[in-house]
Amino acid sequence: GCVVRRVSVVSSVPTKKRKKSSSVRHTFERECAMPDQQASHYMAINEPLRPKARSSSASSSWANFFFKSCRATTAVMFVGTIVALACFGISSKLGLGVAPKMAAPSVNMQLQAPRFAAPTITSRQQVLARNRMPMVFGRNMPQHSGRSTVSLPRAFQPATTETDVKMPSAGGMFTATKPEERRIQPRDERGRKKFKVVYVVLESQYQSSMTEAVKSINKNQDGVCVECSGYLLEELRDPANFEAFKKDVQDANVFIGSLIFVQDLAEKVVEAVKPARDNMDACLIFPSMPDVMKLNKLGQFSLASLGVGNEKGGEEPAADAPKKKNSVVKDFFKAASKASPATFEENLLKLLRTLPTVLKFLPAGIAQDGRSFLLSLQYWLGGSGDNLENFLLMIANKYVDGIQGADLIDEKKIAAPALIAEKGIWHPLAPQVFDSSDEYLEWYNREMCPLNGVATDAPTVGVILQKSHINTKDEAHYVSLFQELESRGSRVVPVYTGSLDFSIPVEQYFYNRQGKCIVDSVINLTGFAMVGGPATQDHDRAVAVLQKLNRPYLVSVPLVFQSFEEWEKSQLGLHPVQTALQVSLPELDGAIEPIIFAGRDPATGRSVPMQDRIEILAERAQKWATLRAIPNAEKKLAITIFSFPPDKGNVGTAAYLNVFGSIHAVMKELKRKGYDVEVPDTVEELIDGVLKDKEAEIASPELNVEYRMSMDEYKKKTPYAKDLEDNWGPPPGNLNSDGENLLVYGKKFGNVFIGVQPSFGYEGDPMRLLFAKSASPHHGFAAYYTYIEKVFGANAVLHFGTHGSLEFMPGKQVGMSGKCYPDRLIHALPNIYYYAANNPSEATIAKRRGYASTISYLTPPAENAGLYKGLKELGELVGSYQGLRETGRGPSIVNSIVASARQCNLDKDITDLPLEEEDAKEMDQDTRDRVVGKVYNQLMEIESRLLPCGLHTVGVPPTVEEAVATLVNIASLDRPEDGFKSLPRLVAESVGRDIEEIYRNSDNGVLEDVQLRQNIVEATRAAVRAAAMQSANKDGRIEEVNPMAVQLQGLVGIKSPWRQALKDTGFDVSEAELTPLFKYLGFCLEQVVADNELGGLMSALDGEYILPGPGGDPIRNPKVLPTGKNMHALDPQAIPTKAAVDCAKVVVDRLLDRQKQDMGGQYPESVALTLWGTDNIKTYGESLAQVMWLVGVQPVSDSIGRVNKLRLIPLEELGRPRVDVVVTCSGVFRDLFINQMNLLDKAVKMAAEADEPLEMNFVRKHSLEQAEELGVDLREAAQRVFSNSAGSYSANVGLAIENGGWKDESQLQEQFLERKSFAFNADRPGELNKADAVFKSSLAKVDVTFQNLDSSEISLSDVSHYFDSDPTNVVKGLRKDGKKPTSFVADTTTANAQVRTLSETVRLDARTKLLNPKFYEGMLNQGYEGAREITKRLRNTMGWSATAGAVDNFVYEDANSVFIEDPAMQKRLLDTNPNAFRDMIQTFLEANGRGYWETSEDNIDRLRKLYQDCEDKLEGIE
């Protein structure tokens, strides 16, 4: 069954400039005993290693090295994980670049000679022969003659047992490997002494090096042999694997652990190893979690010997043990649990640096063993098979019972650790590692440029590497990228370091002697943050270094936990842990484009280059690099705008953005910068140019057709066109088509093309909306992106506004493959994306799935809603009452207030408002005050609610008044982290009151405190306005902040303007208390006006680095400002924060109290919640914490600050029953926070498994019922965390309602159940499986549905997302009693958090926006786009009728009065945007037809006539 396999590979490297020559064929023969099946599998695995055939005389040189690198023994330190804390280059940081002062040979700083000969040099390889062949990092390299044939070393073979070969099978999370395949038994012990080694590592590549080391010992040692069992950390999640691990550990002589930084798995390691530790000869733990590190034992050396714990690991030394003074190690571990992630790594490094000093003060035996530990660490960091072989022999010779002192191992033959230079510039064909960029480029330009046909001034790509890959010769994936870049005509400057501070080589090697940057773009191939590992990062330093470098910064990701095949099959894509460490964290540095470029061989753990991914990575990096070189006059830019929903006059949709006004501003700036662009004189001309007229429909010829793509051209230039036919049939289809060609809508203005992105295509198709998984893009969509890249020839695309649909096309969640549609569509185009600053979650999806470099834009300044019409009159009545309350007129005024409140429909919000027939004269004074107080409080809620006014135009600074409302709300929040109180709190304290008490009393209608609260609000506004006015120009706009505004308080005897304003309103607050707050407000004001939206775009188009910044609510987090940044989210492992947990408790307790009042004192048994990505980013996980608090579970940070543990809160501490939950996660939340979904699932199951009375644990009660009902076990029945299938988003309810594509409410409910019923299961992490039976059963038990509002900018009627995911009517349909659940909304947009019913919130939203003249007049002033915004609010309001029945009839009636009954308003809407007006009319008619609005026949007749008027206007009939 054994065969000799020959693997033939053709390799060559093309460039445009080089001469063609025949390719060189390199044949490798594998002469090893291998079953035929396994040999075939091996060839298949390594197929990705084959470079595509390219014509080039340089090919032989590259192919020669390429396969030399593939032979390498392997062993990478988890890409880094890096981690390791590194070990973090511990060799340099600890001074370990030379051998410790102990009985050991000196450390050889050069690589040892390879164990086999290199291929023969042919052709133009002789150019490099004198440099490359004689030396590898300074060592002579043996040569041979003859055919280019080599025998591959053992390390390149699949790592298996010596007696058997097995195919990989399932096991662990995302991994198809089994530990048993790593087990090695010596073939023949031959009377030798056998010792057993068990290891567990995070990085899979170590398996190859350990296998090589053990096999070499078993083959070459006469006195000893090794049995070895190896485990990847992730495999311990599998119960069978964990049991095998514990069994292996029991009889191990030596245990090795490394980089155990996943908390739950670290606990498993401790659980298994701690009981067996005393019986081991050696237990070696390299940088890991503190509890794991305490397991270290080597002879007399342990952490107990340094004053940390005892020999059992963790406890204090015995009472009679010698006292140890000043133990730095003990101090370290004592503080570790309190340390922040940022300080843990630093403290660990200090500890390791201190060890040599500590050892001097210990007994000789302990010191000697301590030095052996340090030497072991060096061997381990070396990582190669040779280093690990010598490591195992050294440990066995000194510590293993039966071998120690028995002369079974020749100590003289144990070589010292072999290390290479700590940092440098490394090229595989270079004669040395360079320490100077000038010397490197001198060599490169002399040797490599002629060889590759690359110009010496060609675009240069800097590449950051992980030293361990070079050290272990596992660099094939690196070399493949170099080859691809050079074949495309680029130069490469590859730098590396052994530490995890990659800023060091960046600063040292990406500049020449004159300080000039020598690279045009940068790719970080380590996948990690610029500074630091998984436990800590220094993002401020990283940003400073990258800002100085000022080049596009791409961070690409090698697969670590998955093999290529596993990743390829995975719908989720990249492993969640890797996403958190290697995508989320680099984004905080400003990284873009997380492209997977290398996989993992499941048999050997080696890195395997993915050729198609490497090609796209190289092309994209080169495109970014060339933006610097192309003159602006020659650059072509494709601006893409959106139309959603389609066919309704919605061309140019974007959240709160005046799209055409902003594009006009961009075009003017482009013209100023020298671009060839024809700028229309006015915005109206621009609109007309793209649409031909404002009344355009997307499916009509009224929209300008810029290009007609024939079917031959489409098929030729769109390689994936055939794949679209499964969903859409053969092209051209009926979307963006004239029946013969595919149509590209838009218009060219010189070298700028403004195009309209096609729609999804299935918005109005009920069947497609129902599919659990979304359809592919249609042919018209694909043709659009083919046109801008391959016909128009854009150098970059600018997606304009939040948001389009490219990034939401089907594909993996993170880590796109070449078959994912976002990757196919954007292809190699640099993608710049204007995105609303308040929406970091969806911006992050655009970054990860659409490779976007986002540029944030400001949402419109917020203003207070104010009072109008009847509400204003009611406010005046309240004012009259306060002046006359104790006179005889008081009761009559109260009667008028009650009547007016009912006329304004406030009786729906004030449930105990007296009836109109009740006479206030019959009430006592306190009762009248309470009635008026509740009305007043309701009016103040409406008046003070923030609403965005108008639309934002890119680059336009705010007015004073626009800035004031934002600053007032910033000033109204306590900021303990910044050391000051809110202004309302300071004002309240100045009169001896607590602001929280005032809020509570005001909510309860205490008239005196309602008035005091309003006085405090007015005083706050006056003080902030006084401060802002110091910086206003003559036009009332703020262009720059007057620094004197924060200095006046320092002048003796002069009150600051803000203190004087407070004094004028009746409050006296000391200057000392005001100063910190107003300095902070001055800073915030600077950020508001420091807009860089145009500047950020120009920098991106110039191929520069875009400064990163957080997205979110600028009121909660002013660091969101200024805009114009490359927006990022947050570290997902950092939430929920303690502050978020505290806020969550308040909200949940108010929710439960409110529901108890409505249920006769009974707690709800189950609550359905919706989790959103953006909300949790803005609030740092408040809604996450709400779920946990409902079920009675507390999130706990691990010893390095990551939130990945849970504590079940005892019932006596909780003080109430555990409430069951059904959690529906948005698709965006799923993509960003899948690790938090894992926590939530664990939390629910902890509660379900708690042995508690069922009346006190509704989670367990329901789970037991469902287990019996569905015939499943308890844990499966307790699944409560649901979302869409991977790569799909939303329930499509919003799409159906926005496009009218729905028959009845049952269709909407069916869509929700079909698309949202994919469960996350912590028992099978990384999977989202259909679980509709559990989903429906859980929803059928829901008493309350619940959502959160966290920002004043986005409320229930602003977007369709909220009603799209609302399960209220779904629950009603599933409950056996048909009862509609109570629906609540938590409003945390102000310091006074509220829990309202859904209907109350919809009413509040309608009063403050849709029906509010301040809102709709502000929108109408924006013209075409503003009219569309009004219509959108009405359509979204109807969505709440459809999904929850939560809209009162008066909302439709009042809206009809405002927009339809008034002839002047009719004309304005018809003239401004007839399509949007027609859509508004259609919405009113639909609301009536579906039974949501009862009105008069006169109103319906009017609407029908107006609809016909719109049709006539659109058809050009006068």
Side-chain angles (χ1 to χ4, degrees), residues 60 333 350 514 561 563 644 813 857 866 888 1181 1208 1286 1317:
S60 56
F333 281 100
K350 288 178 181 177
Q514 289 72 42
F561 296 116
S563 69
F644 189 82
Q813 286 180 200
Y857 66 81
L1208 189 70
S1317 56

Side-chain angles (χ1 to χ4, degrees), residues 275-296:
R277 175 176 175 270
D278 283 352
N279 297 324
M280 295 177 181
D281 296 309
C283 185
L284 291 149
I285 309 296
F286 302 118
S288 296
M289 301 292 285
D291 286 344
V292 187
M293 291 287 286
K294 290 180 183 180
L295 297 171
N296 264 302

Side-chain angles (χ1 to χ4, degrees), residues 227-433:
E227 175 188 350
C228 183
S229 296
Y231 294 81
L232 302 182
L233 185 62
E234 200 65 37
E235 290 170 343
L236 300 186
R237 294 187 189 279
D238 185 287
N241 288 343
F242 184 55
E243 288 305 314
F245 174 64
K246 288 197 292 186
K247 184 177 179 181
D248 268 328
V249 165
Q250 291 304 313
D251 60 350
N253 297 98
V254 178
F255 176 77
I256 304 166
S258 176
L259 308 183
I260 315 300
F261 280 104
V262 181
Q263 179 67 36
D264 57 334
L265 297 178
E267 292 169 358
K268 285 179 173 288
V269 171
V270 173
E271 177 187 341
V273 176
K274 190 174 179 180
R277 175 176 175 270
D278 283 352
N279 297 324
M280 295 177 181
D281 296 309
C283 185
L284 291 149
I285 309 296
F286 302 118
S288 296
M289 301 292 285
D291 286 344
V292 187
M293 291 287 286
K294 290 180 183 180
L295 297 171
N296 264 302
K297 184 187 83 166
L298 193 62
Q300 299 180 57
F301 175 85
S302 68
L303 294 181
S305 69
L306 301 176
V308 181
N310 68 6
E311 295 304 318
K312 304 286 184 189
E315 294 83 10
E316 289 301 316
D320 57 351
K323 300 293 184 182
K324 297 176 176 63
K325 299 179 180 179
N326 303 324
S327 169
V328 293
V329 184
K330 181 176 181 179
D331 292 343
F332 167 75
F333 281 100
K334 212 174 190 182
S337 61
K338 301 176 182 178
S340 69
T343 59
F344 176 75
E345 177 184 1
E346 180 183 352
N347 290 344
L348 182 57
L349 285 172
K350 288 178 181 177
L351 168 67
L352 293 172
R353 292 190 192 103
T354 308
L355 277 180
T357 303
V358 175
L359 295 176
K360 294 178 183 179
F361 300 98
L362 297 178
I366 298 178
Q368 182 67 23
D369 294 333
R371 295 188 186 101
S372 294
F373 176 79
L374 292 180
L375 186 62
S376 299
L377 180 58
Q378 284 186 275
Y379 279 123
W380 189 257
L381 292 177
S384 65
D386 289 342
N387 277 323
L388 297 187
E389 178 180 346
N390 289 312
F391 163 53
L392 294 178
L393 290 173
M394 191 249 325
I395 293 296
N397 191 50
K398 289 188 175 185
Y399 299 103
V400 173
D401 187 36
I403 299 176
Q404 178 186 15
D407 293 328
L408 298 178
I409 298 172
D410 187 348
E411 185 174 355
K412 295 179 181 179
K413 292 184 178 180
I414 301 176
L419 307 175
I420 65 171
E422 185 58 29
K423 59 180 171 36
I425 308 176
W426 174 83
H427 191 285
L429 302 187
Q432 66 187 71
V433 172

Side-chain angles (χ1 to χ4, degrees), residues 104-304:
S106 61
V107 176
N108 185 348
M109 291 300 293
Q110 300 171 328
L111 284 180
Q112 298 183 5
R115 295 185 174 182
F116 62 96
T120 301
I121 304 174
T122 59
S123 156
R124 292 180 62 184
Q125 285 181 301
Q126 298 297 338
V127 174
L128 298 181
R130 68 181 185 277
N131 291 326
R132 184 174 69 89
M133 295 309 296
M135 305 286 290
V136 177
F137 300 111
R139 288 296 299 250
N140 288 331
M141 185 174 182
Q143 303 183 39
H144 75 286
S145 60
R147 189 177 58 159
S148 298
T149 303
V150 298
S151 295
L152 293 173
R154 289 187 303 277
F156 196 44
Q157 302 170 14
T160 63
T161 67
E162 295 187 335
T163 57
D164 193 12
V165 178
K166 299 179 181 179
M167 294 294 290
S169 58
M173 176 176 171
F174 276 85
T175 180
T177 58
K178 290 288 284 184
E180 193 61 30
E181 297 165 10
R182 241 165 273 121
R183 186 180 301 277
I184 299 174
Q185 292 279 6
R187 289 179 183 274
D188 182 4
E189 294 186 22
R190 303 195 308 271
R192 296 177 292 178
K193 178 65 177 178
K194 183 174 76 172
F195 66 100
K196 182 176 180 180
V197 176
V198 178
Y199 67 90
V200 59
V201 292
L202 183 66
E203 60 282 14
S204 64
Q205 295 88 338
Y206 260 98
Q207 72 182 74
S208 181
S209 292
M210 286 294 289
T211 298
E212 179 187 358
V214 170
K215 286 183 176 181
S216 180
I217 292 173
N218 289 344
K219 178 181 178 181
N220 299 318
Q221 290 293 320
D222 295 326
V224 299
C225 57
V226 187
E227 175 188 350
C228 183
S229 296
Y231 294 81
L232 302 182
L233 185 62
E234 200 65 37
E235 290 170 343
L236 300 186
R237 294 187 189 279
D238 185 287
N241 288 343
F242 184 55
E243 288 305 314
F245 174 64
K246 288 197 292 186
K247 184 177 179 181
D248 268 328
V249 165
Q250 291 304 313
D251 60 350
N253 297 98
V254 178
F255 176 77
I256 304 166
S258 176
L259 308 183
I260 315 300
F261 280 104
V262 181
Q263 179 67 36
D264 57 334
L265 297 178
E267 292 169 358
K268 285 179 173 288
V269 171
V270 173
E271 177 187 341
V273 176
K274 190 174 179 180
R277 175 176 175 270
D278 283 352
N279 297 324
M280 295 177 181
D281 296 309
C283 185
L284 291 149
I285 309 296
F286 302 118
S288 296
M289 301 292 285
D291 286 344
V292 187
M293 291 287 286
K294 290 180 183 180
L295 297 171
N296 264 302
K297 184 187 83 166
L298 193 62
Q300 299 180 57
F301 175 85
S302 68
L303 294 181

Side-chain angles (χ1 to χ4, degrees), residues 630-703:
I630 302 173
N632 285 351
E634 298 176 15
K635 287 179 186 172
K636 290 187 173 183
L637 176 64
I639 297 177
T640 296
I641 58 178
F642 315 120
S643 178
F644 189 82
D647 300 333
K648 304 264 178 83
N650 290 318
V651 175
T653 49
Y656 286 120
L657 184 66
N658 184 327
V659 171
F660 285 109
S662 297
I663 291 177
H664 195 252
V666 166
M667 294 173 78
K668 289 192 290 186
E669 183 67 9
L670 290 171
K671 186 74 173 179
R672 194 178 72 82
K673 292 285 188 178
Y675 285 74
D676 179 7
V677 55
E678 300 163 6
V679 185
D681 292 337
T682 65
V683 175
E684 288 292 322
E685 288 182 22
L686 174 63
I687 296 174
D688 290 342
V690 176
L691 276 67
K692 289 205 170 173
D693 62 48
K694 297 191 296 289
E695 298 84 34
E697 292 179 356
I698 206 97
S700 78
E702 294 175 58
L703 200 65

Side-chain angles (χ1 to χ4, degrees), residues 540-579:
D540 290 341
R541 170 162 169 73
V543 169
V545 169
L546 290 167
Q547 192 172 13
K548 175 186 173 186
L549 191 71
N550 200 25
R551 298 293 186 269
Y553 176 58
L554 291 69
V555 175
S556 300
V557 184
L559 297 178
V560 173
F561 296 116
Q562 302 148 279
S563 69
F564 170 80
E565 290 85 356
E566 291 156 0
W567 164 79
E568 190 174 42
K569 293 175 183 176
S570 169
Q571 293 182 332
L572 296 179
L574 190 63
H575 190 289
V577 172
Q578 233 188 312
T579 299

Side-chain angles (χ1 to χ4, degrees), residues 772 1279 1282 1313-1319 1328-1333:
Q1279 293 178 113
F1282 300 90
L1313 291 170
E1314 180 67 21
R1315 288 181 61 86
K1316 286 291 185 180
S1317 56
F1318 291 80
L1328 282 168
N1329 294 320
K1330 188 78 169 171
D1332 47 351

